[in-house]
Amino acid sequence: MRMIKWQNGTVITPDQTKLPLQEVTLEIKTVDQMAEAIKTLRVRGAPLLGAAAGFGVAIAAYQSKAKTAAQFLAEIEVAGTLIKRQRPTAVNLFWGVDRVLNKAKAVKGTVEQLKTAVIQEAQAIADEDAAQNRAIGKHGAELIKDGDTVLTHCNAGELATVEYGTALGVIRAAWEQGKKIKVIADETRPLLQGARLTAYELKRDGIPVTLITDNMAAHVMSKGMVNLVVVGADRIVQDAVFNKIGTYGVAVLAHEHNIPFYVAAPKSTFDLTRKASEVEIEQRKPEEVTHVGCQQTAPDGVAVYNPAFDATPLKYVAGIITESGVYTKKHFSKFNPKFLL
Ligand code: MRU
């Protein structure tokens, strides 16, 4: 199912903050609404953010009353800057904005022609992501054996992408091949993407899923209950994989228990010009830690540290499953900007 659609200047997508209790559809009509939806995680997950970024700029293009190409380019640049400012870690957000802006700059034509080019490029990002996730699923499913139990962290599913999912795309593909697999989903404190979104998606699709709290991962691994870990990514740099906070801990635990730890992500999530130390990790508000939902669970005024992502060094990663195949340890030493060209 398509998670994001363009309909005559309006972007249609589920409000992920309402799931799993309510299925609410957002109709995003302005760049400000798109910015708000990204900031508040109504729209979330790296590949979906790439498509949302493209469509966000497309809204500005669609609504533009610019008389000249220069004016038009200036307007959509402002929209792109606003969208990029919402979240710092997932590289797809920046990639999506830049891709449509660069397309517009490359077209030498009338304002109408530029508008069409921007909207078509945003649509192309979405269409390509859907196809890439199927390819990721196909490559990744080969790593999963009949009867395996796969642990995942956060939500790298259909909801986090345009269609099908990355980590959950791998699981979905294995399931569709008839492999009798099971999934263990970490709840993923503090925002519970595992409990709210991964458990929802898998349960809806009839894929056996068992929910655990994050601090149970070591226990289930030590009991031999996990054959493989697969997670998504927000940014893959030369020496590490950025993903939802807690991923690094899962990777270290998997290493200790000799369980292969895989990352599934499209190449739009690669940022091989950078090292981990150069990436900004989003810091989120204290209330996400001091409260569970609306219920306060910590004393007033306690100091809180709330990073949304962490960096897993590549030494813990058995392979990165992409649309072009699986990059394994033997490729990692070659991870430089030219590697994937
Ligand atoms: O803060 P979120 O919910 O946007 O974080 C999402 C994740 O960390 C996902 O694992 C990642 O974006 C991969 S989604 C295919």
Side-chain angles (χ1 to χ4, degrees):
M1 203 168 65
R2 280 278 156 138
M3 285 300 116
I4 193 161
K5 285 186 209 144
W6 173 265
Q7 270 176 18
N8 304 320
T10 300
V11 177
I12 313 286
T13 189
D15 183 343
Q16 299 196 32
T17 60
K18 300 281 191 284
L19 289 169
L21 301 181
Q22 287 171 275
E23 294 181 352
V24 175
T25 301
L26 288 175
E27 293 189 6
I28 299 173
K29 293 179 188 295
T30 66
V31 179
D32 284 347
Q33 285 172 358
M34 179 60 88
E36 190 272 347
I38 292 170
K39 179 99 201 156
T40 56
L41 273 62
R42 297 184 200 284
V43 174
R44 54 149 295 280
L48 187 64
L49 288 174
F55 282 134
V57 177
I59 292 176
Y62 184 84
Q63 293 177 346
S64 174
K65 303 230 177 330
K67 297 273 180 292
T68 66
Q71 225 181 350
F72 175 81
L73 290 175
E75 281 181 18
I76 61 169
E77 192 105 39
V78 169
T81 305
L82 176 68
I83 287 166
K84 284 182 181 180
R85 237 191 275 131
Q86 301 313 311
R87 298 190 75 189
T89 311
V91 75
N92 303 60
L93 188 69
F94 302 84
W95 169 88
V97 167
D98 289 339
R99 190 166 145 177
V100 288
L101 291 182
N102 290 337
K103 182 72 186 185
K105 285 177 200 157
V107 173
K108 304 289 172 227
T110 62
V111 170
E112 276 318 302
Q113 285 167 328
L114 265 66
K115 277 189 185 191
T116 305
V118 166
I119 295 165
Q120 282 178 351
E121 192 67 5
Q123 188 60 53
I125 291 176
D127 293 343
E128 287 167 23
D129 186 67
Q132 285 158 359
N133 295 329
R134 300 263 168 193
I136 288 170
K138 184 169 148 283
H139 294 304
E142 287 171 25
L143 302 165
I144 299 182
K145 294 190 296 299
D146 193 22
D148 274 355
T149 297
V150 184
L151 183 139
T152 191
H153 188 74
C154 192
N155 172 263
E158 180 173 84
L159 287 159
T161 63
V162 174
E163 220 174 82
Y164 206 62
T166 55
L168 295 195
V170 168
I171 288 166
R172 225 169 233 127
W175 179 256
E176 285 166 6
Q177 288 172 357
K179 292 176 185 164
K180 296 271 172 284
I181 55 172
K182 290 182 186 146
V183 179
I184 294 181
D186 287 348
E187 69 169 353
T188 319
R189 271 283 285 157
L191 292 183
L192 306 177
Q193 288 92 333
R196 293 189 299 107
L197 307 175
T198 295
Y200 162 81
E201 250 189 80
L202 294 176
K203 198 159 179 296
R204 179 198 62 193
D205 294 352
I207 302 174
V209 56
T210 300
L211 181 64
I212 60 169
T213 61
D214 299 333
N215 52 0
M216 295 172 189
H219 178 73
V220 295
M221 288 186 190
S222 75
K223 293 285 176 196
M225 292 165 70
V226 180
N227 302 101
L228 182 123
V229 176
V230 59
V231 297
D234 289 88
R235 190 186 292 240
I236 297 171
V237 294
Q238 288 171 20
D239 51 349
V241 171
F242 284 81
N243 192 48
K244 180 53 55 195
I245 190 73
T247 302
Y248 176 30
V250 173
V252 173
L253 288 172
H255 179 78
E256 173 65 22
H257 294 94
N258 287 318
I259 298 167
F261 176 93
Y262 286 97
V263 174
K267 288 184 189 167
S268 53
T269 305
F270 282 76
D271 178 15
L272 299 179
T273 59
R274 287 188 175 77
K275 288 192 176 351
S277 56
E278 297 166 279
V279 176
E280 181 183 344
I281 293 184
E282 179 180 3
Q283 300 293 324
R284 296 187 61 87
K285 54 183 189 192
E287 289 74 17
E288 293 177 356
V289 177
T290 56
H291 290 61
V292 175
C294 296
Q295 180 66 50
Q296 185 173 338
T297 54
D300 285 337
V302 66
V304 168
Y305 179 53
N306 186 16
F309 300 96
D310 59 26
T312 298
L314 287 182
K315 74 170 184 176
Y316 293 113
V317 179
I320 302 177
I321 308 160
T322 73
E323 62 272 30
S324 323
V326 183
Y327 294 108
T328 54
K329 286 201 182 293
K330 68 176 189 285
H331 300 105
F332 295 166
S333 59
K334 297 186 204 140
F335 266 20
N336 62 51
K338 292 198 187 113
F339 175 62
L340 290 171
L341 298 179

